[in-house]
Amino acid sequence: MIVLAVLIVLLPFAAAVAGLLAGPRVTRLLGGAPATAAPEGHTVVTEAEAGADPDAVQEGATPPAAARFGLRNGPALLACVPAGAAFVLAAIVGLTLWRSPHPRSGALTVVETGAVPIRVAFQVDGLAALLGVLVCAVAVAVQLYSVAYMAKDPRYSSYAAFVSLFTAAMLLVVFSRDLLLLYVGWEIMGVCSYFLIGHHWEDRANSRAAVKAFLVTRLGDVGFLIGILVLGVGASTFDIPTLLGRLDVLPHGTLVAAALLLLAGVAGKSAQFPLHTWLPDAMAGPTPISALIHAATMVAAGIYVVARLYPLYLAAPAALAVLGVLAVVSMVGAALAALAQDDLKRVLAYSTISQLAVMAAGLAVGAKSAAIFHLVAHGAFKAVLFLAAGCVIFVTGTNLLAGHGGLRTRMPLTFAAMTVGFAALAGVPPVSGWFSKDAVIEGAQHAATHGGELEHGLPAAGPHEAISGLREGVSPYVKPGQIVVATDFRIVPTIPTGIAWLIYLALLLTVALTAAYAMRAWLLTFFGDYRGTGEPREAPRAMSWTIAVLAVPAAILGFFGLGADELRPHPVSALLGVALLAAGAAATYLVWRRDPAADPARVLGRVRPVFARAFLVDELYAAAIVRPVRRLARGVAVVDRQDVDGAVTGTARLTRRLADVVRRPGGGDPQSYLTGVLAGVVVIVAVVVVFL
């Protein structure tokens, strides 16, 4: 089993190395022609476009072979085949864990550091297996889809290689048993996101978005690394199961500090307030990259780490309360921002922030299973939404909703897939998002109505120890943020009741807002009259068939939760959720119906620009951080140029002038030398006569 886990990580890694070193060369060996940039005044026509429209091959177009797809496309083969093999292995691991669910682990080697050793070790349990299947499935879909989407890109080979490396890094995070090994994958993902978001770096906006994503996530990663070191040094191990088994011996303050520091990295990677601003700008990257980042890698890593280290957070409920507050701000704020966006990809980007906050809220109220359930469902339907959005953008040539409309008859396959995706995003029964969202709401309802009590108990003490500790007034077992349940003597962590209610009400509000913005994007994209130019039709088969296949799990995944009590729909939360969903969707529909050519967001009036600019958080950061730092940098540059460089330059000039003076006696003139000697003799004689 561990060998399979290692292979799952190594296959995409090997694909990345091979793609970077030999992608175009493999194409030439196979007799194909690498994709090239179109000459000035020409356009590249893919084989798919040429097959669909013979008129596309016209004067001014380069031959279809320039963007050939098939068995002669070396980078595509190097990317897709290993990704497919990794998916098969991940499915085998998942099925094995499903039949025999006990965790497996193994170490390849131990690196002695002189203090706390680092184990190159892997772990396979239900959580890792589930995420492994999700990551590999989305990676295969993105690689296949990209073959057509990026067919005209002359840098497709490096693009596909970085997608493979991105996938390998996320799989390393998923299967790692050691915190420092996990951190290696965590950082590689950050580097890959920089290269992929800035793939079209010629556009200044793209390179700025890549730098912004890199810097903002690095800011959170500083806290993440310190948190790892605090935990590892405190517990004398970075091995995750061993570390979690030693939580009782660590001081409570250390646990809270470490949990909060780790949350900084989680907020950065999972784009939660206040480190969320990089994600909407990251839409500058190619659309398949958006699907990969939003569905299965990068942003999912933060939620996964909290779930992996969940016993730490149960032992430090104050950190869960902080996570809950951040989730409330993120889910409501991002949903309102999504309501006013003009760009289809930015609508989906803000929806990702909001839905990740729903998962974080689930973790904050103790509903870990529900949060992971929503993570998997979200991965499925968000991949569909982004890849379908890519199809729309591919054929219309614009991200703006104002340039879409009336596409349901022109792109029936994309329309059907995106309808499933939007339905899952909004939580329409019985698609996957409805089941997972209901489970999270039910967990929040439980916490709010039970005094902030979380669902998970700690097996740290038995009845006798707990009761005796309470009677004595000083319990070694019941720590701050924990209570003892009188009925079964479980020690249960709690968060403040007010925060539990805040999370619950924010979840309900988010259901209505999500339905409203999902309905708006759906109507503006597929209904009314087409507002763009040309005659759009279905995207190439490699793209449209991919989203059609992905739409199936996005629709039915929810039914797999019926076997677990905490994941089944509950009557009160389900009815309440459906009522709020209907209210949000109906409000948007009624506004749109008055004038299908107009944007329903117009009813937001004066607050629309504020929502569209995400409450001016970027402007606030620019005023409070970016501009002061730039002014400071300019000041440092002036001091460096005028004072530091001036001192160095002045010293050089002074030395040169002194050298000129000193050099004059050594000019090679014998008369000067003789005059100097005689002058010296005269001075010496005078000194002797006068003083002796």
Side-chain angles (χ1 to χ4, degrees), residues 109-120:
T109 185
V110 178
V111 180
E112 296 294 344
T113 63
V116 183
I118 302 171
R119 293 162 59 87
V120 182

Side-chain angles (χ1 to χ4, degrees), residues 379-677:
F381 69 71
K382 191 50 68 71
V384 172
L385 284 172
F386 265 109
L387 295 181
C391 292
V392 171
I393 295 166
F394 186 86
V395 300
T396 61
T398 178
N399 294 8
L400 298 178
L401 292 166
H404 301 159
L407 295 176
R408 70 183 187 283
T409 54
R410 295 173 169 86
M411 305 175 68
L413 202 56
T414 303
F415 169 67
M418 212 158 184
T419 299
V420 171
F422 275 128
L425 171 64
V428 176
V431 291
S432 59
W434 176 66
F435 290 92
S436 58
K437 209 174 287 187
D438 176 77
V440 173
I441 293 174
E442 172 62 22
Q445 181 181 301
H446 172 88
T449 55
H450 290 75
E453 175 187 321
L454 307 185
E455 288 186 343
H456 293 267
L458 292 177
H464 173 73
E465 290 84 355
I467 292 175
S468 64
L470 289 177
R471 283 175 180 170
E472 293 167 2
V474 179
S475 170
Y477 303 102
V478 185
K479 297 179 179 177
Q482 298 175 351
I483 62 172
V484 176
V485 178
T487 53
D488 54 6
F489 306 110
R490 285 182 302 118
I491 295 178
V492 175
T494 62
I495 59 174
T497 307
I499 292 180
W501 273 105
L502 185 64
I503 293 172
Y504 178 53
L505 295 176
L507 280 169
L508 295 179
L509 176 60
T510 303
V511 170
L513 291 174
T514 304
Y517 72 71
M519 175 65 85
R520 169 179 172 262
W522 186 61
L523 291 172
L524 289 178
T525 304
F526 293 107
F527 291 86
D529 296 328
Y530 178 56
R531 299 178 291 276
T533 57
E535 280 297 324
R537 50 188 165 187
E538 202 64 81
R541 288 191 293 271
M543 297 168 63
S544 55
W545 288 8
T546 300
I547 60 171
V549 172
L550 281 177
V552 175
I556 66 172
L557 261 179
F559 292 98
F560 289 89
L562 295 178
D565 181 60
E566 67 270 24
L567 302 181
R568 289 192 200 112
H570 298 79
V572 175
S573 57
L575 289 174
L576 195 55
V578 170
L580 291 168
L581 159 74
T588 301
Y589 178 74
L590 292 175
V591 174
W592 173 81
R593 194 176 179 184
R594 291 179 199 163
D595 184 2
D599 188 342
R602 67 185 184 280
V603 299
L604 294 174
R606 294 182 178 180
V607 299
R608 182 181 180 183
V610 179
F611 290 174
R613 295 164 71 178
F615 301 94
L616 308 176
V617 175
D618 264 332
E619 286 78 358
L620 177 63
Y621 286 170
I625 300 174
V626 176
R627 283 199 284 273
V629 169
R630 284 182 175 172
R631 280 197 290 270
L632 178 62
R634 283 195 290 270
V636 170
V638 170
V639 170
D640 179 65
R641 185 171 56 253
Q642 294 182 353
D643 296 341
V644 179
D645 282 357
V648 174
T649 305
T651 302
R653 288 174 180 167
L654 179 62
T655 303
R656 191 180 303 117
R657 288 173 182 171
L658 288 175
D660 289 340
V661 172
V662 174
R663 189 178 55 193
R664 287 175 186 170
D669 184 1
Q671 291 183 350
S672 298
Y673 296 159
L674 182 60
T675 302
V677 171

